[in-house]
């Protein structure tokens, strides 16, 4: 005997998931994270999914001619800001992940949605 599919329930589940995704998209657009280098000479702001939106270089950076150190400081500061935005994204999508999900090991861009699709496929 083939299982019965409740088309109305399935449609409502998909509509709810779609509405949730639209809400998440709006909340992701509101993400903004700023990080400062330890010496305070570099500041980086990222938005959304970690796109660099602002970079501030204090004029005092020109007092040294170590371009490799400056480049490293800029990259590290941007990485810190991106990590902050990733943490915010994890919190936004947390309710769509398994209860035991941790930021480390979670692809915050796709795992929440894959988990929800898996639940739909399983009929949970």
């Amino acid at each position: 005997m083939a299982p019965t599919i409740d088309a109305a329930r399935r449609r409502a589940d998909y509509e709810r998931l779609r509405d949730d995704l639209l809400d998440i998209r709006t909340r992701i657009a509101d993400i903004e994270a700023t990080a400062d280098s330890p010496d305070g000479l570099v500041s980086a702001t990222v938005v959304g999914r970690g796109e660099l939106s602002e970079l501030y270089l204090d004029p005092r950076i020109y007092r040294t001619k170590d371009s490799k150190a400056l480049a490293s400081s800029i990259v590290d500061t941007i990485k810190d800001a991106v990590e902050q935005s990733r943490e915010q994204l994890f919190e936004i999508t947390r309710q769509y992940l398994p209860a035991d999900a941790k930021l480390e090991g979670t692809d915050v861009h796709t795992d929440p949605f894959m988990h929800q699709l898996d639940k739909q496929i399983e009929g949970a």
Side-chain angles (χ1 to χ4, degrees):
M1 177 180 205
T4 306
I5 297 173
D6 182 346
R9 179 176 164 243
R10 177 132 337 220
R11 181 175 175 81
D13 289 344
Y14 284 125
E15 287 175 353
R16 185 175 58 254
L17 184 56
R18 182 202 61 221
D19 292 345
D20 288 350
L21 290 173
L22 291 172
D23 177 59
I24 287 171
R25 184 172 65 182
T26 300
R27 292 175 65 195
I28 289 171
D30 292 338
I31 290 175
E32 181 175 294
T34 300
D36 297 314
S37 62
D39 60 10
L41 299 179
V42 177
S43 179
T45 300
V46 299
V47 295
R49 297 176 186 268
E51 300 90 7
L52 182 64
S53 67
E54 192 174 318
L55 180 64
Y56 171 77
L57 304 175
D58 188 295
R60 293 176 294 160
I61 64 166
Y62 299 110
R63 292 181 182 164
T64 179
K65 297 192 188 286
D66 189 351
S67 63
K68 286 184 180 183
L70 174 59
S72 179
S73 179
I74 291 170
V75 168
D76 290 346
T77 303
I78 292 171
K79 283 181 180 177
D80 288 347
V82 168
E83 183 60 23
Q84 289 177 32
S85 72
R86 190 171 174 268
E87 291 168 3
Q88 290 179 44
L89 182 54
F90 182 76
E91 288 307 315
I92 289 170
T93 59
R94 183 98 177 83
Q95 69 188 32
Y96 304 99
L97 289 163
D100 61 348
K102 303 279 187 256
L103 177 59
E104 302 77 30
T106 297
D107 178 341
V108 294
H109 300 288
T110 60
D111 286 356
F113 313 110
M114 295 303 295
H115 177 68
Q116 291 304 304
L117 290 172
D118 287 345
K119 283 176 54 178
Q120 292 297 321
I121 291 168
E122 294 168 7

